[in-house]
Amino acid sequence: MTSTCCCWIIRHNTFETKLCIYNKNPKPKTRGFLGFKLYCNSHVIVPLIENNWKKKRYGYGYGGSLPSILQRLDNEDEIDKTMEFWVGKLSPKEQTVILKEQKDWSRVLKVFQWMKSQDDYVCNVIHYNVVLRVLGKAQKWNELRLFWIEMMKDGVIPSNNTYGMLVDVYAKAGLVKEALLWIKYMKQRNVFPDEVTMNTVVKVLKDVGEFEKGDKFFKNWCQGKIELDGLVLDSIDDLELGLDPFTSKHFLSTELFKAGGQMPPSKLLSPMEEESSVRKPRMTATYNTLIDLYGKAGRLMDASNAFAEMLKSGVAPDTVTFNNMIYNCGTHGFLSEAELLLTIMEETRVFPDTKTYNIFLSLYADQGNIDASLKSYKKIREVGLLPDAVTHRAVLRILCERKMVTEVESVLEEIKKSSVRIDEHSLPSIIRMYVDIGLLDRARSLFENRHLEGRISSQTCTAIIDAYADKGLWTEAEAVFFRKMASLACKKDVAEYNVMIKAYGKSKLYDRAISLFENMRSNGTCPDECTYNSLVQMLGNARLVDPARNFLAEMQEAGFKPRCPTFSAVITGCTRLGQMSDAVEVYREMTKAGVQPNEVVYGSLINGFAEAGMVEEALEYFHAMEEVGIHANQIVLTSLIKAYSKVGCLEAAQKLYGKMLNMEGGPDIVASNSMIILYGDHGIVGEANLMFDKLKENGQADGVSYAIMMNFYKNMGMLDKAIDISQEMQESNLLRDCASFNAVLTSYAANGQIGECGELLQQMIKRKILPDAGTFKVMLTVLKKGDAPTEAVNQIESSYREGKRFAREALATFVFSVVGMHSFALQCCKAFMKPEISLDSYAYNIAIYAYGCSGKVDEALTIFMRMQDEGLEPDLVTYINLVTCYGRAGIVGGIKRIYNQVMYGEIEPSETLFTAVINAYRDANRNDLAEMVTQARDEVCDRPGRSPDSETEGDDGPLDFSETEGDDDPLDFSETEGDDDPLDFSEPLEPVDYTVS
């Protein structure tokens, strides 16, 4: 293993630089390098090398009569009238200045024609160069063609400057091949490019990424040759550019080579004379171009060689030279060498410019050195320079990515003081930062202020909308989308529609997304493939399969080919809805369209059939997946195990589970839970326990695992064991969502531990976990097991199932009262017992019961009076609650009044009401009256052998967690007073489905 070192000691005037490049393990015919070192001996005093920038602007920098001429030309339209005073008085140089200072190409032509019309005018190639450049910059190719022909007719011989300028303007217009045709023309006219023209050609090739061709052209030029074959100049196609009647290509490939043919032979240069000498660059600009070319090509060794040759040849480097070298070193990982170059720069008194510090700003940021990056930013002003748009864009990007709000706003304030606009490319980064940290007002204000300053491009608005869309902020995204446009003729780009549709989809506003899609064409914008893919995937994932399929068909009719994820979304949507025939149909459409299904598609189909218990169909697609070379992953095997568990195929499930044990990562928790269910269904208690214990040991057991085992033991009548599992689950901190709470509630309710049920319900509310249908099902069981009045339980259950207002809050209040958690019961009452709210009888009854049970009889009776004031007649539940209140308060007269109403037939006799009266008398220490009512109850009710509190059939069985009507109305305690109110559900956690899936 060897390494080579290339070393130069370059003496330039009075400074000496030693440049060493180490190339470790060189290989033949390669340009690669692995090491780069730069050394500088800077102990010698260096003369000042200044960059001389002359600023010539209208009205300044010119002497004599030029300022007044330019001012009159600027204010008057008639050229002849303006210029008549200076006929015969202007030198060729002054004429050149006048031509250069005109505002537009038409004005230049008029002034030039006036000059030519004068008798004393002498044709000057410099004047023609000025006009040609202006026409080229304005992309007036037909006018340029006519002017070129006129130039040839006038016998003006194009100079190297002419050709170099034409190459430059054509290339900047994007006509690279046409630009290089001028070099072909030069060769045919025996004009050898000078260094300026050569540099222009190399720069053109560099800018379009043709690094090898640029390098080859330069090296051939140094050898006195102009090789054009490698530039592919003879393969120009006939594509029209829409220039009528001649295109630039027509002109260059036909008339160009005819025009100028009348040039006197004496004027033509001898190609032999030109190619006889070997030449080297003498211009700083040429070396700058070469260094930049090699750097962008990743050839740092060649860039270093060019830099060394530049110094060796006595060509003074300028700021651009050092900037290129610094950038090349820094971007290739040699930051220390880049820093050393900056030191050399300062020592040789080639002063850094703003771009120099911009480069370091970005280099440090890429390395994560934010302090150094910001130091470079501050250095710009410290050395007397001003940040430019690139500076602000770079520093804002760095600060925004790191959410450094204070620093960002400091930069924005600095930009404002500089009386310049915020670069619109920085807007999305700043707004995204504000959105991510929740400062929406600042984001909106920034956008509105910047919009007032000037029109924002569609691309920038798209990025801003996307920032809002990612956070689901559709209203903010919509405000940007429907912004007032500066021009009514300006239409929105399709990308804006796409991200707005994305924003609606994130917020599940599918109707708005569809409406926007349908309005696209009427607004002059046609949907593209991305629009259709986004819309179909959005609807498919939302299980809106019918519109998804319609748009999928429309997409194909429009000539677009849907991607695999698009078909997959529709198939998944169908399988989640159990529409397996539709899923299969979309799958067949997919294969017919030539789109290869992936593992997600097969996994969705297999899982869908597994959920439906259709094992044969699931296996069919499993085998189809294997036939196309897609290996089954854990998800697919889990789906098959789930399918076997649905139909009780234990042996087949065990084989697949054994296969998963040999896979990397082993079985997932869903597969293990499915196996526990299978063992439980087959009564194999030992295997179920063994697997569950292993999951706990490995830390894999989740809420579903515990819920399965609790249900398993409960169904076997082993309630104590089920309670033990419940307690383990709580201790393991697995009560994280509604489903896990429901599982534990079910076990406690089945075991009659209603106090624990109340505590768990209180925990749910405190942690802002919304109770669902299963939770309320358990609550009703708690009420029945808690000796609550049967009529009251029936009334609240009926109200809940009918979805009546505040039924859920009332039910929670009832439960807390029954289990003795009176403070929470009264707190629940506050959610609906407000003067401005009208209530049904059931709600008043619950409130009377809650206040009565808590011993606050006066409040309970006040609620009863309010009920009467609102015109609501007391029902049986009302009387039962009132009797209970009277008994606890010792108001015997109240008890007697209701009892007499029963005996006189004013209130319908009820065994529960009689029992309530008996208990009330006992609470009031009137056992004699209690005995009297007991005898009367037996005579009136005549119900021998009936237990007044008998439970409904099936209470001891498994609880039914099926959805009940009105489930979409969650408990809303957001109106409860107090910031620390545990009943505040204003930010509920999203419930998790704990079914095995």
Side-chain angles (χ1 to χ4, degrees):
M1 304 294 286
T2 62
S3 64
T4 62
C5 173
C6 300
C7 181
W8 300 271
I9 299 180
I10 300 104
R11 292 176 176 84
H12 177 69
N13 294 336
T14 58
F15 75 92
E16 178 182 288
T17 300
K18 184 177 181 182
L19 183 69
C20 296
I21 302 169
Y22 292 93
N23 187 12
K24 299 179 181 178
N25 305 326
K27 297 180 180 179
K29 298 182 180 180
T30 64
R31 301 178 183 272
F33 66 94
L34 297 176
F36 177 84
K37 295 291 180 184
L38 181 67
Y39 301 96
C40 174
N41 299 326
S42 56
H43 57 276
V44 184
I45 299 176
V46 185
L48 178 64
I49 303 174
E50 293 185 350
N51 296 322
N52 185 19
W53 300 100
K54 293 183 178 180
K55 298 182 179 180
K56 287 187 177 181
R57 297 182 179 178
Y58 164 69
Y60 299 96
Y62 302 120
S65 59
L66 280 176
S68 60
I69 295 174
L70 293 173
Q71 187 174 4
R72 290 194 62 179
L73 282 172
D74 195 37
N75 296 328
E76 297 181 10
D77 293 331
E78 297 183 11
I79 303 297
D80 295 342
K81 182 178 178 181
T82 304
M83 299 294 295
E84 62 183 358
F85 179 77
W86 287 280
V87 173
K89 299 179 181 179
L90 298 173
S91 67
K93 185 176 181 180
E94 289 173 324
Q95 291 172 346
T96 303
V97 171
I98 292 171
L99 285 172
K100 284 183 176 179
E101 292 295 337
Q102 298 312 299
K103 291 183 177 179
D104 56 60
W105 65 272
S106 61
R107 193 81 170 170
V108 171
L109 283 178
K110 289 179 182 179
V111 172
F112 183 72
Q113 293 303 331
W114 179 86
M115 291 179 179
K116 283 188 64 178
S117 68
Q118 305 306 306
D119 295 336
D120 61 342
Y121 179 75
V122 179
C123 291
N124 187 330
V125 69
I126 297 176
H127 294 172
Y128 280 92
N129 288 350
V130 172
V131 179
L132 285 171
R133 178 180 291 278
V134 170
L135 293 174
K137 283 186 174 180
Q139 299 187 26
K140 297 298 178 180
W141 309 119
N142 194 47
E143 287 78 2
L144 186 148
R145 175 183 68 87
L146 295 173
F147 192 78
W148 176 267
I149 295 172
E150 181 181 334
M151 178 180 174
M152 296 299 102
K153 289 179 180 179
D154 290 342
V156 178
I157 308 302
S159 65
N160 252 293
N161 287 341
T162 309
Y163 294 115
M165 173 271 298
L166 289 169
V167 171
D168 182 58
V169 294
Y170 270 80
K172 287 179 178 176
L175 303 172
V176 177
K177 292 182 179 180
E178 291 78 357
L180 298 177
L181 274 172
W182 287 104
I183 305 303
K184 181 177 181 180
Y185 178 78
M186 287 180 72
K187 185 175 182 180
Q188 289 191 357
R189 294 292 177 255
N190 292 324
V191 179
F192 192 83
D194 63 6
E195 185 175 346
V196 174
T197 305
M198 177 275 295
N199 181 43
T200 303
V201 174
V202 175
K203 187 176 184 299
V204 167
L205 293 170
K206 169 184 70 75
D207 291 341
V208 296
E210 294 287 354
F211 306 122
E212 292 297 330
K213 291 179 181 178
D215 184 35
K216 183 177 180 182
F217 186 84
F218 164 70
K219 289 177 178 177
N220 285 334
W221 179 85
C222 291
Q223 298 299 320
K225 298 183 294 184
I226 297 299
E227 295 292 340
L228 302 176
D229 294 339
L231 299 181
V232 200
L233 296 177
D234 296 322
S235 60
I236 305 297
D237 56 41
D238 297 325
L239 179 65
E240 294 290 336
L241 297 180
L243 303 173
D244 193 32
F246 291 95
T247 69
S248 57
K249 291 186 178 182
H250 283 158
F251 167 51
L252 287 167
S253 59
T254 57
E255 294 187 50
L256 174 63
F257 298 102
K258 297 176 183 177
Q262 302 172 357
M263 218 180 298
S266 62
K267 298 290 185 180
L268 298 178
L269 300 177
S270 169
M272 294 304 295
E273 291 177 5
E274 288 293 338
E275 297 181 8
S276 61
S277 60
V278 176
R279 52 186 51 77
K280 290 184 178 181
R282 295 295 175 187
M283 293 168 43
T284 301
T286 304
Y287 284 105
N288 290 346
T289 300
L290 291 172
I291 292 170
D292 192 32
L293 180 146
Y294 294 135
K296 288 180 177 176
R299 294 162 53 178
L300 186 53
M301 176 69 77
D302 291 332
S304 303
N305 288 339
F307 181 55
E309 182 64 29
M310 177 183 189
L311 300 178
K312 185 178 180 181
S313 301
V315 179
D318 62 5
T319 303
V320 176
T321 314
F322 280 100
N323 285 349
N324 287 341
M325 284 300 297
I326 289 170
Y327 180 80
N328 290 339
C329 292
T331 53
H332 287 84
F334 300 103
L335 187 56
S336 59
E337 281 70 21
E339 292 170 337
L340 182 56
L341 281 166
L342 179 62
T343 303
I344 296 174
M345 232 181 139
E346 294 168 345
E347 290 173 349
T348 56
R349 310 194 78 176
V350 178
F351 297 110
D353 62 3
T354 298
K355 184 176 181 180
T356 312
Y357 295 106
N358 287 348
I359 293 170
F360 277 105
L361 192 156
S362 297
L363 291 176
Y364 288 130
D366 291 340
Q367 286 199 341
N369 191 345
I370 304 305
D371 291 338
S373 185
L374 295 179
K375 187 177 180 181
S376 297
Y377 171 67
K378 294 175 182 177
K379 187 78 172 176
I380 294 173
R381 290 192 182 276
E382 290 175 3
V383 298
L385 298 170
L386 291 176
D388 58 13
V390 176
T391 314
H392 290 138
R393 191 185 311 164
V395 74
L396 285 172
R397 176 182 60 82
I398 294 165
L399 297 174
C400 289
E401 287 176 353
R402 290 156 181 81
K403 308 292 187 295
M404 301 171 70
V405 180
T406 304
E407 291 79 2
V408 168
E409 294 184 339
S410 177
V411 174
L412 295 179
E413 186 63 27
E414 181 181 290
I415 294 173
K416 184 178 179 181
K417 289 179 180 178
S418 302
S419 300
V420 296
R421 293 179 181 176
I422 299 172
D423 180 51
E424 77 167 69
H425 294 91
S426 298
L427 275 182
S429 298
I430 303 170
I431 290 177
R432 184 176 288 276
M433 176 196 69
Y434 281 141
V435 170
D436 288 344
I437 61 180
L439 298 175
L440 300 183
D441 290 341
R442 297 191 195 180
R444 181 175 60 255
S445 177
L446 176 66
F447 174 77
E448 291 174 351
N449 292 338
R450 180 58 180 80
H451 190 265
L452 291 174
E453 293 175 357
R455 182 182 163 198
I456 301 174
S457 69
S458 178
Q459 183 179 6
T460 302
C461 285
T462 299
I464 294 171
I465 296 169
D466 194 50
Y468 286 119
D470 285 339
K471 292 294 183 180
L473 300 169
W474 68 272
T475 53
E476 290 79 2
E478 200 175 57
V480 177
F481 182 79
F482 290 112
R483 68 196 181 282
K484 292 183 178 179
M485 305 297 290
S487 172
L488 295 177
C490 182
K491 68 177 183 179
K492 294 181 179 65
D493 188 80
V494 65
E496 288 185 81
Y497 281 95
N498 291 345
V499 294
M500 193 62 233
I501 288 172
K502 170 186 173 181
Y504 285 140
K506 282 263 188 180
S507 301
K508 301 181 181 180
L509 300 172
Y510 307 115
D511 290 340
R512 285 179 178 266
I514 293 172
S515 176
L516 183 63
F517 174 84
E518 292 172 347
N519 289 334
M520 284 182 70
R521 291 189 184 90
S522 60
N523 292 329
T525 305
C526 292
D528 60 7
E529 186 173 329
C530 179
T531 317
Y532 281 107
N533 280 322
S534 298
L535 192 61
V536 175
Q537 290 178 37
M538 172 203 309
L539 296 173
N541 292 326
R543 307 186 189 186
L544 301 172
V545 294
D546 290 337
R549 294 189 66 181
N550 292 337
F551 285 117
L552 182 63
E554 182 181 324
M555 178 181 185
Q556 292 173 291
E557 290 173 2
F560 296 114
K561 184 176 181 179
R563 298 165 51 221
C564 180
T566 304
F567 281 107
S568 177
V570 182
I571 292 171
T572 302
C574 292
T575 59
R576 287 174 178 171
L577 293 173
Q579 300 173 358
M580 296 311 300
S581 59
D582 291 336
V584 171
E585 187 177 340
V586 177
Y587 168 79
R588 290 172 180 167
E589 291 176 10
M590 180 181 187
T591 55
K592 185 178 179 180
V595 179
Q596 179 65 42
N598 59 11
E599 64 275 9
V600 177
V601 174
Y602 286 111
S604 295
L605 290 167
I606 292 168
N607 188 65
F609 284 118
E611 287 287 349
M614 304 169 70
V615 181
E616 292 183 5
E617 290 80 357
L619 289 173
E620 177 186 342
Y621 285 96
F622 173 69
H623 295 316
M625 181 182 72
E626 289 185 322
E627 288 175 2
V628 297
I630 300 176
H631 298 292
N633 55 23
Q634 288 179 324
I635 298 174
V636 172
L637 294 179
T638 297
S639 297
L640 289 174
I641 290 176
K642 192 190 322 181
Y644 286 130
S645 70
K646 293 275 185 180
V647 295
C649 294
L650 177 61
E651 185 176 351
Q654 284 177 319
K655 289 181 180 179
L656 288 178
Y657 193 79
K659 185 176 181 180
M660 293 181 73
L661 288 172
N662 297 322
M663 296 175 66
E664 184 179 355
D668 59 19
I669 186 62
V670 177
S672 299
N673 287 340
S674 297
M675 290 302 300
I676 294 174
I677 292 174
L678 266 173
Y679 287 130
D681 291 342
H682 285 75
I684 309 176
V685 180
E687 289 293 336
N689 277 327
L690 185 64
M691 184 166 290
F692 179 62
D693 290 340
K694 189 173 182 179
L695 289 176
K696 288 193 294 182
E697 289 175 7
N698 297 333
Q700 291 179 286
D702 61 3
V704 177
S705 310
Y706 281 92
I708 292 169
M709 292 304 296
M710 279 188 285
N711 191 58
F712 175 53
Y713 285 122
K714 183 170 67 68
N715 290 340
M716 294 181 65
M718 302 170 65
L719 295 181
D720 291 341
K721 192 67 175 175
I723 295 301
D724 291 341
I725 298 294
S726 300
Q727 292 173 349
E728 285 183 29
M729 186 175 183
Q730 294 179 70
E731 292 169 0
S732 301
N733 196 30
L734 289 173
L735 291 179
R736 302 170 184 168
D737 49 53
C738 187
S740 58
F741 270 101
N742 288 347
V744 178
L745 281 168
T746 303
S747 296
Y748 281 128
N751 201 38
Q753 296 178 251
I754 61 174
E756 287 79 356
C757 289
E759 292 175 359
L760 286 172
L761 177 62
Q762 183 266 331
Q763 284 186 42
M764 287 184 70
I765 295 174
K766 185 176 182 179
R767 290 165 59 179
K768 299 180 180 179
I769 298 175
L770 289 178
D772 63 5
T775 314
F776 289 111
K777 185 70 176 179
V778 180
M779 287 187 195
L780 293 171
T781 302
V782 169
L783 293 176
K784 294 172 184 177
K785 289 183 176 289
D787 294 330
T790 303
E791 288 82 358
V793 175
N794 293 337
Q795 186 179 71
I796 188 62
E797 182 176 7
S798 175
S799 300
Y800 167 73
R801 294 190 183 280
E802 292 173 8
K804 288 185 178 180
R805 191 183 183 196
F806 299 115
R808 297 190 174 201
E809 292 87 340
L811 181 51
T813 302
F814 202 180
V815 170
F816 285 131
S817 295
V818 168
V819 301
M821 300 176 67
H822 301 299
S823 61
F824 284 99
L826 298 183
Q827 205 166 7
C828 287
C829 275
K830 294 178 182 179
F832 57 91
M833 288 303 300
K834 295 184 177 181
E836 67 275 11
I837 298 177
S838 297
L839 302 171
D840 290 342
S841 297
Y842 81 90
Y844 283 110
N845 290 339
I846 294 294
I848 293 170
Y849 182 85
Y851 278 97
C853 289
S854 64
K856 297 186 177 184
V857 176
D858 291 341
E859 288 87 341
L861 296 179
T862 300
I863 293 171
F864 173 64
M865 288 187 287
R866 174 182 164 185
M867 176 181 178
Q868 289 182 311
D869 291 341
E870 292 188 8
L872 295 176
E873 293 293 333
D875 55 21
L876 180 60
V877 177
T878 313
Y879 290 122
I880 293 172
N881 293 338
L882 285 174
V883 166
T884 302
C885 289
Y886 293 147
R888 293 186 178 184
I891 305 175
V892 177
I895 303 172
K896 286 183 178 179
R897 183 170 60 254
I898 293 176
Y899 173 68
N900 290 335
Q901 287 178 292
V902 173
M903 298 307 294
Y904 287 112
E906 296 177 13
I907 300 175
E908 182 179 354
S910 163
E911 186 174 356
T912 306
L913 181 54
F914 272 115
T915 303
V917 171
I918 293 168
N919 292 333
Y921 276 134
R922 288 174 179 166
D923 289 339
N925 294 320
R926 293 300 303 270
N927 291 324
D928 55 335
L929 296 178
E931 290 297 329
M932 178 191 69
V933 176
T934 300
Q935 295 176 5
R937 178 190 64 183
D938 295 339
E939 294 174 1
V940 173
C941 294
D942 192 22
R943 298 182 54 175
R946 177 176 178 181
S947 174
D949 296 322
S950 61
E951 297 177 358
T952 57
E953 186 178 355
D955 282 343
D956 291 332
L959 292 175
D960 180 14
F961 278 74
S962 59
E963 295 290 329
T964 56
E965 191 176 349
D967 286 338
D968 293 334
D969 179 22
L971 265 174
D972 181 13
F973 294 123
S974 58
E975 297 180 359
T976 308
E977 296 179 5
D979 292 339
D980 297 327
D981 186 358
L983 303 177
D984 181 10
F985 269 54
S986 57
E987 296 181 359
L989 297 177
E990 184 176 352
V992 178
D993 184 6
Y994 261 65
T995 57
V996 180
S997 59

